[in-house]
C-alpha cells in the first residue's frame, strides 16, 4: 500500500527570489544553532509548519535539514514494540527468535551499509550470513517516516508478519544510534526545485536510461498526460513526492500491515482449539494494550481489525444454529476483547470524534446476529436467596432480605472495576516505569512504582487513593455467584487480578487512612456489603479480599483487621447445609454435585477460606484473645476435614519455632483443631487418617504428657480401635516420644499404664485387629499381658478367625511360649475347614506350622491335634504331607519333661494310624469326585494324582493290597472311560 506521503502533492518549486526572501526572513532573526535545533525538533514532532513558514519549500535549507533530521523516531522502544508480539526490553537479548534481537545482532555485527536518507525516506542494505554452505544474502530495506513515526516499510526478504522484520529493525536502530553518520538529503522535490530546465531534462533522461526496462512505459504514459492540456494531471497543482512527508492535515501513525493482521487472526481462530493459537491471540491483545499505554492510535486500529475477524469466525454461526455455548477458550478471548474495548472507549486521551466512531462501530457489530452476548445470567429469581442467619490389630430493619446487587461488578463481562482501577493506577505510575498493569504482558514481573497524582477540582483526592477505593468497593460488594463454571471461574480470576494490582501499591499513611475508612464502611454496609451482618446463601464469599485487607491493616489497626477477617470467614452456602463442625462429602463426589449443582468452584472457595484462617492464626500468635476468637470462627465456618487438618498443621508449625520456646496457646488450638478433625472423620475413613492420627500424637507430645494421656483416655470418640492400638498407644510410648517428654520414672510408668489400658480396651472392642498389638504393648507387664492373652482366648469362642489366631499363636511361639502357641493353634484348627480340592488354601502354611509345633512338643500334644487335623482337613495331599513330616523324626519333649522317643513314629501305629486312614479315605473320595466330571485334557494330572495316592497307601502294612483293590474298583466303575483306564493300566498294571 502506498504510504500517505506518496499521495501528498507538493507545490511547484519556488523561485530564487522567494527562497531568498524566506531565507532572509529566518536568517534575519539570528537564532543560535541550539535554538534552531529545538525549533526544528518541535516542528518534526508536531509538523506545525505555521511555526516557520506555510510551505516547506520556503523554509531555509538549514531548517529543512534539521526538520528532516529530527523527524525519524528517536526511541528504540517503539521499534522494539513493533518488532515483536510481546514487549521485551533491549537487554532481553537471550531470545534469538525475536526480530528485535536479531536486528540488534545484525547492527552490532556491521551488517548495515549504504544508508541514505532522502527527505523522509530512509534506505539501506543489510547483509546477512546464509546457512551452512549458502552464500551471503543481501536485502534492500526502505523506510518512510513522518513526525517521529515509521509509516511504511519494505524489505527484500518478503517476510510477511504482523510487525517489522529483523532487517527493518537493523536499519532503524542504525539511524537512531548513528544518526550523524547517515548521509542526509532534502526531499527530492526540494532538490529538483534547485535545478534549471536543462538539469531537469538531463535528470529525467538519465533516470529513464538507468531503469528503462522498469519505468519506460510509466514515463511515456506520464509524458502523454502532461502534454495533453485537459488531462487530470495538469489540473492538480504540484506533484507527489514520496520523500517529502505528509501535510499537517494528514493523519500519521506507525506502519501496521492491516491485511496481515486480519489473515493472522483468521488463521489463529481457525486453530482455536490449540493452546498455541490462544496464546498468540493473547499476545496480540497484549500488544494492543501496550499501544494504548503508549497512546498509539494503532491500538484502536489493530483492535478493530481483530474484532472484525472475530465476528467472521464461522463457529459463531454454527454455535448459534445449534443453540450451543462457546468453548471456554473462546469465551476468554471474547472477554479480553470486550475489556480492551472498554479501555479504548473510556480512554481520556481519545478525541470525541474518535470515540463517536468507535461507538458507532460497536453498535453496528452489536446488531449482527452472530455477535455473542455477555456470558452467564447474572440474576437469580429462585427462592434460594435467603439470609443465612436468623433475621430478627433488628436485622430486618438494617436491610432487605434478598441480594440487592445480583449483578456483580467484579467478574462482570466488561470488567468495569478492573478497567477503572487500572486506568487510575496508570495515571499514577512513574514515568520511567515501563511495566504492564496486565498479567502475562512481559517476561519479567517487578513491582511497579506509583505516586499520588492530585485529582483536578477535588482538593485532597488523588488518583491512587481513588484506585484503592474503587477496587475495594468492587471486591466488597455483596453479589450473587453467577451461573456456570466459566462465569464462576472468571469471578475468581478477576478478584485475584485486582488484588495482585493492589498488592503492588506501596501503602503510605494516606492510603492506610483510605483503607481504614473503606474497611469500616464495608463492615457497616448492610446488605450492599459482603462484610455486612446479613449474608445470603448465594453470595460470593469475601475470603480473598479479606485476606488482603487483614494483611494490610494488621500493622496499623489490628482490631479492625481481625473484626473484618472474622466477619469474612463465613461461607453461607455451607452454613445452610451442614451444621457447624460436621464434614461434607468430597467436592468431587456426586453427592456434592447433587447438593450444590451450581457451586462449581466450591473447593477453591474453601481453600481461600482456609488461607484466610491460617493468616489469622499465624498473626495472632502470642495473643490468646484473638487466638480463641479465630478458633471459634474456624470451628463454626470451616467444614472440610482436610482443610481443618491443614490449619492444625500450620498452627502447630507456627507455635513451635526452632529457635524459640513454643507458644502453648497456639499449640492447644492446633490440638483442638486436630481433635475436631478426628471426630469429624471417625466414621468416614479417608486415606489420610493414619497421617492425621500420627500428627495428633506428635502435637499432643509437644504440649506435654497430660495432653497425650487425655487423648488415650478419650480414644473412643477420636479413633478406631485399630488406630488407637497400632498408632496412638505405640507412638505415644516409643523411645523418641519418651525422650521428648523427659519424664521421671513415676510419670513414665503412668503413661505406660495409660497406653496398656488403651490397648486392652481396643483388644476387647476389636480383637481381630487389636489383640496382637495389645499383646506386644503389654509384654513388659505380666498382669496386662495375661489380660490380653485371656481376651484372645475369649474372642476365639466369640468368632475370632483362624487367621488371626494363627498369627497370635506364631507370636507366642516367637516369644518363647510354645504351649500357649499350641493352645491357640488348636483353637484355630477347630475353626478351619479345608475341602478336598483346596490344596492351595491360604491356611496351608499355618496348618503345617501348627503340626510342626505339636510334633516338637511331644507325643501327647501330637496325639491331641490329630483328631483336629482329621476333622478340619479333607485335602488328601495335605494329609499325606503332614503324615510324612511326622514320620521323619521322633516327637519332641512332652509337657512333663518325658524323654524324646527313641525312634520316629510309625504310620501304622497310634496316633498316626488314624491320620493314615483319613489320608487314604481322602484320596479315594477325591478320586471319585474328580472322575465324575473329568475331561481328556486332565487325564495326565489324574494319573499323577494316583501316583501320590499309591505312595500314601503303601505306608500301611496292607497298603499294596488296598491300592490294588482301589484301582480295580475304579476300572469297574469307570470302564466307560476307556482311554483313561488304559492309561491307568499302563502306569499301575
Amino acid at each position: 500500500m502506498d504510504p500517505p506521503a506518496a499521495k501528498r502533492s507538493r507545490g511547484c518549486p519556488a523561485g530564487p527570489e522567494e527562497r531568498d526572501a524566506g531565507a532572509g526572513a529566518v536568517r534575519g532573526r539570528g537564532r543560535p544553532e541550539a535554538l534552531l535545533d529545538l525549533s526544528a525538533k518541535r516542528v518534526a514532532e508536531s509538523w506545525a509548519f505555521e511555526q516557520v513558514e506555510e510551505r516547506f519549500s520556503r523554509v531555509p535549507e538549514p531548517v529543512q535539514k534539521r526538520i528532516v533530521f529530527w523527524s525519524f523516531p528517536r526511541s528504540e522502544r517503539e521499534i522494539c514494540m513493533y518488532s515483536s508480539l510481546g514487549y521485551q526490553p533491549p537487554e532481553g537479548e537471550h531470545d534469538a527468535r525475536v526480530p528485535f534481537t536479531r536486528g540488534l545482532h545484525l547492527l552490532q555485527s556491521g551488517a548495515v551499509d549504504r544508508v541514505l536518507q532522502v527527505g523522509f525516506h530512509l534506505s539501506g542494505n543489510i547483509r546477512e550470513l546464509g546457512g551452512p554452505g549458502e552464500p551471503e544474502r543481501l536485502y534492500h530495506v526502505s523506510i518512510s517516516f513522518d513526525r517521529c513515526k515509521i509509516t511504511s516499510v519494505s524489505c527484500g526478504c518478503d517476510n510477511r508478519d504482523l510487525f517489522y522484520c529483523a532487517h527493518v529493525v537493523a536499519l532503524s536502530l542504525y539511524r537512531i544510534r548513528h544518526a550523524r553518520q547517515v548521509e542526509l538529503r532534502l526531499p527530492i522535490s526540494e532538490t529538483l526545485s534547485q535545478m534549471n530546465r536543462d538539469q531537469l531534462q538531463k535528470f529525467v533522461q538519465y533516470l529513464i536510461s538507468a531503469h528503462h526496462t522498469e519505468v519506460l512505459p510509466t514515463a511515456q504514459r506520464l509524458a502523454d498526460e502532461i502534454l495533453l492540456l485537459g488531462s487530470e494531471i495538469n489540473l492538480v497543482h504540484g506533484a507527489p513526492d514520496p520523500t517529502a512527508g505528509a501535510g499537517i492535515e494528514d493523519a500519521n501513525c506507525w506502519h501496521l500491515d492491516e491485511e496481515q493482521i486480519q489473515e493472522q487472526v483468521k488463521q489463529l481462530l481457525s486453530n482455536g482449539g490449540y493452546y498455541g493459537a490462544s496464546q498468540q491471540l493473547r499476545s496480540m491483545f497484549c500488544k494492543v494494550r501496550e499501544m494504548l499505554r503508549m497512546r498509539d492510535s494503532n491500538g484502536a486500529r489493530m483492535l478493530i481489525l481483530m474484532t472484525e475477524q472475530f465476528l467472521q469466525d464461522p463457529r459463531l454461526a454454527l454455535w448459534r444454529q445449534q443453540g450451543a455455548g462457546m468453548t471456554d477458550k473462546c469465551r476468554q478471548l471474547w472477554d479480553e476483547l470486550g475489556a480492551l474495548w472498554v479501555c479504548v472507549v473510556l480512554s481520556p486521551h481519545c478525541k470525541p470524534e474518535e470515540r463517536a466512531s468507535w461507538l458507532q462501530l460497536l453498535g453496528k457489530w452489536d446488531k449482527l446476529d452472530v455477535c455473542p452476548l455477555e456470558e452467564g445470567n447474572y440474576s437469580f429469581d429462585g427462592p434460594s436467596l435467603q439470609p443465612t442467619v436468623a433475621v430478627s490389630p433488628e436485622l430486618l430493619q438494617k436491610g432487605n432480605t434478598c441480594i440487592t446487587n445480583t449483578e456483580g461488578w467484579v467478574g462482570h463481562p466488561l470488567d468495569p472495576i478492573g478497567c477503572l482501577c487500572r486506568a487510575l493506577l496508570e495515571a499514577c505510575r512513574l514515568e520511567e516505569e515501563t511495566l504492564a498493569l496486565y498479567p502475562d504482558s512481559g517476561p519479567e514481573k517487578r513491582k511497579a512504582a506509583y505516586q499520588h497524582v492530585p485529582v483536578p477540582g477535588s482538593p485532597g483526592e488523588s488518583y491512587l487513593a481513588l484506585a484503592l477505593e474503587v477496587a475495594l468497593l468492587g471486591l466488597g460488594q455483596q453479589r450473587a455467584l453467577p451461573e456456570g463454571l466459566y462465569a464462576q471461574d472468571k469471578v475468581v480470576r478477576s478478584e485475584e487480578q485486582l488484588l495482585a494490582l493492589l498488592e503492588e501499591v506501596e501503602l503510605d499513611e494516606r492510603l492506610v487512612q483510605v483503607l481504614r475508612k473503606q474497611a469500616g464502611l464495608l463492615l457497616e454496609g448492610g446488605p450492599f456489603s459482603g462484610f455486612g451482618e446479613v449474608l445470603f446463601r448465594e453470595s460470593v464469599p469475601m475470603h480473598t479480599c479479606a485476606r488482603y485487607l487483614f494483611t494490610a491493616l494488621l500493622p496499623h489497626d489490628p482490631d479492625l483487621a481481625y473484626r473484618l477477617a472474622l466477619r469474612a470467614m463465613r461461607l453461607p452456602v455451607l452454613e445452610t447445609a451442614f451444621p457447624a463442625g460436621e464434614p461434607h462429602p468430597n467436592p468431587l463426589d456426586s453427592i456434592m454435585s447433587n447438593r450444590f449443582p451450581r457451586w462449581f468452584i466450591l473447593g477453591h472457595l474453601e481453600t481461600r477460606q482456609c488461607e484466610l484462617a491460617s493468616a489469622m492464626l499465624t498473626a495472632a500468635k502470642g495473643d490468646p484473645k484473638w487466638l480463641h476468637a479465630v478458633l471459634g470462627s474456624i470451628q463454626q465456618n470451616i467444614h472440610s476435614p482436610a482443610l481443618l487438618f491443614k490449619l492444625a498443621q500450620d498452627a502447630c508449625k507456627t507455635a513451635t519455632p526452632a529457635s524459640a520456646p513454643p507458644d502453648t496457646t497456639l499449640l492447644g488450638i492446633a490440638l483442638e483443631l486436630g481433635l475436631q478433625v478426628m471426630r469429624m472423620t471417625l466414621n468416614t475413613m479417608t486415606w489420610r487418617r493414619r497421617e492425621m492420627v500420627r500428627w495428633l500424637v506428635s502435637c499432643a507430645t509437644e504440649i506435654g504428657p497430660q495432653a497425650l494421656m487425655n487423648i488415650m483416655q478419650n480414644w473412643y470418640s477420636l479413633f478406631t480401635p485399630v488406630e488407637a492400638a497400632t498408632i496412638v498407644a505405640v507412638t505415644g510410648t516409643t523411645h523418641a516420644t519418651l525422650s521428648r517428654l523427659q519424664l521421671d520414672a513415676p510419670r513414665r510408668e503412668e503413661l505406660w499404664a495409660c497406653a496398656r489400658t488403651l490397648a486392652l480396651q481396643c483388644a476387647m472392642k476389636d480383637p481381630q485387629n487389636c489383640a496382637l498389638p495389645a499383646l506386644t504393648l503389654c509384654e513388659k507387664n505380666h498382669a496386662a499381658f495375661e489380660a490380653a492373652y485371656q481376651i484372645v482366648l475369649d474372642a476365639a469362642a466369640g468368632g475370632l478367625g483362624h487367621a488371626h489366631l494363627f498369627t497370635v499363636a506364631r507370636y507366642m511361639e516367637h516369644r518363647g511360649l510354645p504351649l500357649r502357641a499350641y493352645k491357640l493353634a488348636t483353637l484355630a484348627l477347630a475353626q478351619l475347614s479345608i475341602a478336598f480340592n483346596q490344596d492351595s488354601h491360604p491356611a496351608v502354611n499355618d496348618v503345617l506350622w501348627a503340626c510342626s509345633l505339636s510334633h516338637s512338643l511331644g507325643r501327647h500334644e501330637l496325639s491331641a491335634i490329630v483328631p483336629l487335623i482329621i476333622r478340619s482337613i479333607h485335602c488328601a495331599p495335605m494329609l499325606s504331607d503332614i503324615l510324612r513330616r511326622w514320620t521323619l523324626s521322633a516327637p519332641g519333649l512332652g509337657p512333663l519333661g518325658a524323654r524324646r522317643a527313641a525312634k520316629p513314629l510309625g504310620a501304622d501305629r497310634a496316633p498316626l494310624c488314624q491320620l493314615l486312614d483319613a489320608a487314604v479315605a481322602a484320596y479315594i473320595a477325591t478320586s471319585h469326585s474328580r472322575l465324575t466330571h473329568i475331561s481328556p485334557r486332565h487325564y495326565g494330572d489324574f494319573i499323577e494324582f494316583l501316583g501320590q495316592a499309591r505312595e500314601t497307601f503303601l505306608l500301611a502294612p496292607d497298603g499294596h493290597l488296598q491300592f490294588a483293590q482301589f484301582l480295580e474298583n475304579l476300572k469297574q466303575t469307570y470302564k466307560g472311560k476307556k482311554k483313561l483306564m488304559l492309561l491307568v493300566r499302563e502306569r499301575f498294571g
Side-chain angles (χ1 to χ4, degrees):
M1 186 178 68
D2 291 336
K7 299 180 181 178
R8 172 74 175 165
S9 293
R10 303 294 294 170
C12 291
E17 297 82 4
E18 292 177 327
R19 289 199 301 272
D20 291 343
V26 175
R27 290 193 190 101
R29 299 171 189 171
R31 292 185 177 183
E33 288 292 315
L35 190 59
L36 200 60
D37 262 347
L38 180 61
S39 177
K41 182 177 179 182
R42 290 174 177 170
V43 172
E45 291 175 342
S46 64
W47 212 234
F49 284 108
E50 65 274 16
Q51 296 180 10
V52 185
E53 291 290 344
E54 181 180 357
R55 295 176 60 186
F56 186 72
S57 59
R58 297 185 179 182
V59 177
E61 184 174 319
V63 178
Q64 288 181 349
K65 286 189 174 181
R66 282 174 169 81
I67 291 175
V68 169
F69 178 83
W70 286 110
S71 289
F72 195 84
R74 294 182 296 279
S75 170
E76 295 185 8
R77 184 185 178 193
E78 285 83 0
I79 306 299
C80 182
M81 183 174 73
Y82 276 91
S83 60
S84 60
L85 269 179
Y87 170 72
Q88 288 186 337
E91 59 265 24
E93 299 176 12
H94 57 277
D95 193 350
R97 298 170 298 177
V98 178
F100 183 89
T101 305
R102 289 179 53 212
L104 186 62
H105 176 72
L106 288 171
L107 173 66
Q108 294 171 342
S109 61
V112 184
D113 64 355
R114 301 192 65 182
V115 181
L116 173 66
Q117 179 177 336
V118 180
F120 303 93
H121 184 273
L122 183 71
S123 62
N125 291 337
I126 311 296
R127 300 182 182 275
E128 187 174 24
L129 294 176
E134 295 182 1
E136 182 183 68
R137 288 172 288 188
L138 178 67
Y139 300 105
H140 181 71
V141 180
S142 297
I143 298 175
S144 295
F145 52 92
D146 175 31
R147 284 167 270 182
C148 303
K149 297 177 182 176
I150 293 177
T151 56
S152 69
V153 299
S154 174
C155 180
C157 71
D158 292 328
N159 179 38
R160 294 301 306 275
D161 201 352
L162 292 179
F163 301 107
Y164 307 157
C165 65
H167 314 110
V168 172
V169 171
L171 182 59
S172 302
L173 294 179
Y174 185 93
R175 174 61 176 78
I176 292 172
R177 296 188 178 187
H178 309 291
R180 301 294 177 181
Q181 301 176 21
V182 175
E183 190 175 354
L184 184 63
R185 296 287 186 271
L186 291 177
I188 194 68
S189 59
E190 300 302 320
T191 304
L192 293 176
S193 69
Q194 300 174 18
M195 298 181 184
N196 57 31
R197 183 191 178 284
D198 292 339
Q199 290 173 323
L200 284 172
Q201 182 169 355
K202 182 176 291 189
F203 171 79
V204 173
Q205 287 185 211
Y206 266 95
L207 180 63
I208 294 173
S209 177
H211 303 284
H212 66 278
T213 57
E214 293 91 0
V215 303
L216 187 59
T218 304
Q220 185 61 55
R221 177 177 58 79
L222 292 174
D224 292 342
E225 290 185 14
I226 289 175
L227 292 175
L228 186 63
L229 290 180
S231 64
E232 181 180 355
I233 197 171
N234 285 321
L235 299 177
V236 177
H237 179 70
D241 181 359
T243 68
I248 187 173
E249 70 279 3
D250 293 336
N252 80 312
C253 57
W254 285 83
H255 168 70
L256 197 66
D257 192 336
E258 297 187 358
E259 181 182 348
Q260 185 62 21
I261 287 177
Q262 291 174 320
E263 186 62 31
Q264 184 90 353
V265 175
K266 181 180 179 180
Q267 181 179 356
L268 291 173
L269 286 174
S270 65
N271 298 329
Y274 296 98
Y275 175 77
S278 299
Q279 287 299 101
Q280 283 188 276
L281 285 170
R282 288 192 177 91
S283 296
M284 296 179 74
F285 287 145
C286 290
K287 182 60 63 178
V288 173
R289 291 190 184 105
E290 191 176 352
M291 291 175 175
L292 294 177
R293 194 178 311 113
M294 300 280 291
R295 301 183 188 178
D296 188 338
S297 60
N298 276 342
R301 187 175 159 206
M302 183 172 173
L303 187 59
I304 290 173
L305 296 173
M306 295 185 69
T307 306
E308 289 174 343
Q309 290 304 309
F310 267 70
L311 287 168
Q312 293 176 21
D313 188 349
R315 295 177 298 174
L316 294 179
L318 181 64
W319 286 330
R320 177 178 174 82
Q321 182 181 3
Q322 296 176 346
M326 290 186 187
T327 62
D328 284 350
K329 287 183 179 179
C330 196
R331 281 174 180 162
Q332 292 174 9
L333 294 173
W334 274 95
D335 282 346
E336 293 189 49
L337 195 71
L340 280 174
W341 271 114
V342 173
C343 295
V344 168
V345 175
L346 295 183
S347 171
H349 308 297
C350 70
K351 301 175 182 177
E353 56 270 22
E354 289 178 325
R355 183 179 286 113
S357 67
W358 295 332
L359 291 174
Q360 185 179 2
L361 262 180
L362 290 170
K364 173 187 172 183
W365 292 331
D366 185 59
K367 293 177 182 177
L368 297 177
D369 291 338
V370 294
C371 185
L373 300 174
E374 287 85 355
E375 208 283 329
N377 177 17
Y378 284 76
S379 62
F380 299 97
D381 303 320
S384 61
L385 301 182
Q386 300 299 323
T388 63
V389 299
V391 184
S392 62
E394 297 131 12
L395 296 183
L396 283 174
Q397 294 174 358
K398 289 183 178 179
N400 299 327
T401 57
C402 64
I403 296 182
T404 306
N405 306 309
T406 56
E407 184 175 67
W409 298 330
V410 175
H412 190 279
L414 297 181
D415 192 22
I417 297 294
C419 290
L420 185 53
C421 183
R422 288 186 179 97
L424 293 169
L425 287 176
E426 181 79 24
C428 303
R429 199 168 50 177
L430 295 177
E431 288 297 327
E432 62 269 17
E433 286 294 325
T434 59
L435 297 174
L437 292 179
Y438 300 86
D440 304 326
S441 60
E444 298 177 3
K445 294 185 178 180
R446 295 173 294 163
K447 211 164 187 178
Y450 301 99
Q451 61 185 350
H452 285 282
V453 177
V455 179
S458 300
E461 289 280 8
S462 77
Y463 288 125
L464 193 56
L466 287 178
L468 183 59
E469 287 187 23
V470 165
L472 294 180
L473 280 173
L475 290 167
Q477 177 200 28
Q478 180 166 191
R479 57 199 184 275
L481 189 73
E483 294 279 0
L485 171 60
Y486 177 77
Q488 293 176 14
D489 182 65
K490 187 176 179 183
V491 169
V492 172
R493 284 187 284 110
S494 299
E495 284 186 348
E496 291 174 348
Q497 290 171 8
L498 265 178
L499 291 171
L501 287 178
L502 296 185
E503 286 171 352
E504 289 194 343
V505 177
E506 190 90 23
L507 293 177
D508 56 17
E509 186 59 33
R510 191 172 177 183
L511 292 180
V512 168
Q513 293 306 318
V514 172
L515 204 65
R516 296 176 70 174
K517 177 184 175 183
Q518 290 300 315
L521 291 175
L522 288 174
L523 283 173
E524 300 171 2
F528 297 96
S529 170
F531 293 87
E533 291 187 31
V534 180
L535 197 62
F536 303 94
R537 183 181 184 274
E538 299 295 333
S539 291
V540 176
M542 296 287 109
H543 308 136
T544 310
C545 174
R547 186 181 179 193
Y548 165 77
L549 289 172
F550 176 77
T551 305
L553 284 170
L554 190 63
H556 311 284
D557 193 339
D559 185 72
L560 179 60
Y562 279 109
R563 287 196 296 120
L564 193 79
L566 289 172
R567 179 75 64 82
M569 276 291 291
R570 299 168 294 182
L571 187 52
V573 69
L574 292 184
E575 292 173 13
T576 58
F578 298 109
E582 287 193 8
H584 66 70
N586 188 307
L588 300 180
D589 271 356
S590 59
I591 300 176
M592 175 57 69
S593 301
N594 293 334
R595 286 192 176 221
F596 307 107
R598 293 184 50 256
W599 287 70
F600 299 101
I601 58 170
L602 184 59
H604 177 84
L605 296 177
E606 287 187 288
T607 301
R608 290 287 181 252
Q609 182 189 35
C610 174
E611 290 172 354
L612 173 61
S614 180
M616 286 194 289
L617 281 176
T618 303
K621 179 182 177 182
D623 191 332
K625 170 193 168 185
W626 287 120
L627 278 176
H628 287 100
V630 174
L631 174 62
S633 179
I634 290 173
Q635 292 176 323
Q636 180 181 356
N637 295 296
I638 296 185
H639 307 277
S640 168
L643 295 178
L644 282 172
F645 180 57
K646 183 181 183 306
L647 282 174
Q649 288 179 304
D650 292 345
C652 184
K653 186 176 180 180
T654 304
T656 55
S659 58
D663 186 310
T664 55
T665 305
L666 189 54
L667 263 179
I669 285 177
L671 180 64
E672 184 59 36
L673 290 174
L675 294 175
Q676 182 176 347
V677 172
M678 292 295 102
R679 288 189 288 266
M680 292 171 68
T681 59
L682 180 58
N683 297 318
T684 55
M685 302 301 293
T686 68
W687 62 273
R688 296 194 65 189
R689 275 282 297 191
R690 293 184 66 85
E691 176 192 355
M692 293 175 177
V693 174
R694 286 194 182 94
W695 176 86
L696 189 69
V697 174
S698 68
C699 182
T701 303
E702 290 291 338
I703 295 176
Q706 192 57 50
L708 192 56
M709 287 189 286
N710 284 340
I711 65 172
M712 289 184 182
Q713 292 166 355
N714 298 291
W715 72 270
Y716 282 101
S717 61
L718 302 172
F719 314 110
T720 64
V722 176
E723 292 170 343
T726 60
I727 302 177
V728 179
V730 174
T731 308
T733 54
T734 60
H735 177 73
T737 302
L738 296 175
S739 301
R740 176 73 176 168
L741 293 173
Q742 297 181 346
L743 302 177
D744 55 17
R747 291 286 285 171
R748 179 173 295 196
E749 180 54 34
E750 183 181 3
L751 180 60
W752 267 108
C754 189
R756 288 192 293 265
T757 302
L758 165 64
L760 292 174
Q761 292 173 347
C762 294
M764 293 181 66
K765 194 171 183 65
D766 185 4
Q768 288 191 350
N769 298 307
C770 300
L772 185 58
L775 285 167
T776 305
L777 195 69
C778 298
E779 278 184 352
K780 296 180 180 179
N781 186 282
H782 178 73
F785 186 82
E786 290 298 321
Y789 176 66
Q790 188 59 46
I791 290 173
V792 175
L793 294 179
D794 295 341
L800 187 62
H802 60 81
H804 295 92
L805 287 171
F806 275 128
T807 301
V808 178
R810 286 176 180 267
Y811 162 78
M812 288 293 184
E813 183 197 32
H814 180 72
R815 196 174 178 273
L817 299 170
L819 290 180
R820 291 191 174 185
Y822 173 80
K823 173 65 175 177
L824 293 172
T826 58
L827 292 175
L829 284 172
Q831 298 184 9
L832 184 63
S833 177
I834 299 179
F836 71 92
N837 58 350
Q838 291 182 306
D839 48 352
S840 59
H841 192 280
V844 168
N845 288 331
D846 289 327
V847 172
L848 294 177
W849 169 82
C851 293
S852 175
L853 175 65
S854 61
H855 184 266
S856 66
L857 289 176
R859 180 166 183 161
H860 176 77
E861 285 74 16
L862 188 146
S863 300
I865 205 172
V866 167
L868 291 175
I869 295 293
I870 295 173
R871 187 174 60 194
S872 300
I873 300 172
H874 308 283
C875 178
M878 277 191 67
L879 291 172
S880 61
D881 188 17
I882 295 170
L883 184 62
R884 275 191 295 271
R885 288 170 183 261
W886 278 347
T887 57
L888 291 177
S889 60
L893 294 176
L896 299 180
R899 299 180 64 182
R900 178 181 291 271
K903 59 180 181 178
L905 295 175
D908 56 337
R909 300 177 59 186
L912 299 188
C913 59
Q914 297 175 352
L915 185 60
L916 176 60
D917 293 342
V920 169
Y923 271 115
I924 294 173
T926 303
S927 297
H928 285 290
S929 177
R930 293 181 65 172
L931 285 172
T932 303
H933 303 290
I934 195 170
S935 62
R937 62 177 178 172
H938 295 132
Y939 284 175
D941 293 339
F942 182 74
I943 295 299
E944 293 300 321
F945 178 76
L946 287 181
Q948 297 174 8
R950 181 172 62 178
E951 293 178 2
T952 303
F953 272 75
L954 293 178
L955 292 176
D958 57 348
H960 182 76
L961 180 61
Q962 290 186 41
F963 186 70
Q965 292 175 348
F966 168 58
L967 288 181
E968 188 62 29
N969 180 262
L970 289 181
K971 295 173 185 176
Q972 293 298 324
T973 306
Y974 303 99
K975 58 184 177 180
K977 301 182 185 294
K978 296 181 180 179
K979 185 176 180 179
L980 177 59
M981 294 302 109
L982 179 62
L983 293 174
V984 171
R985 288 190 185 93
E986 289 178 355
R987 177 73 179 272
F988 304 106

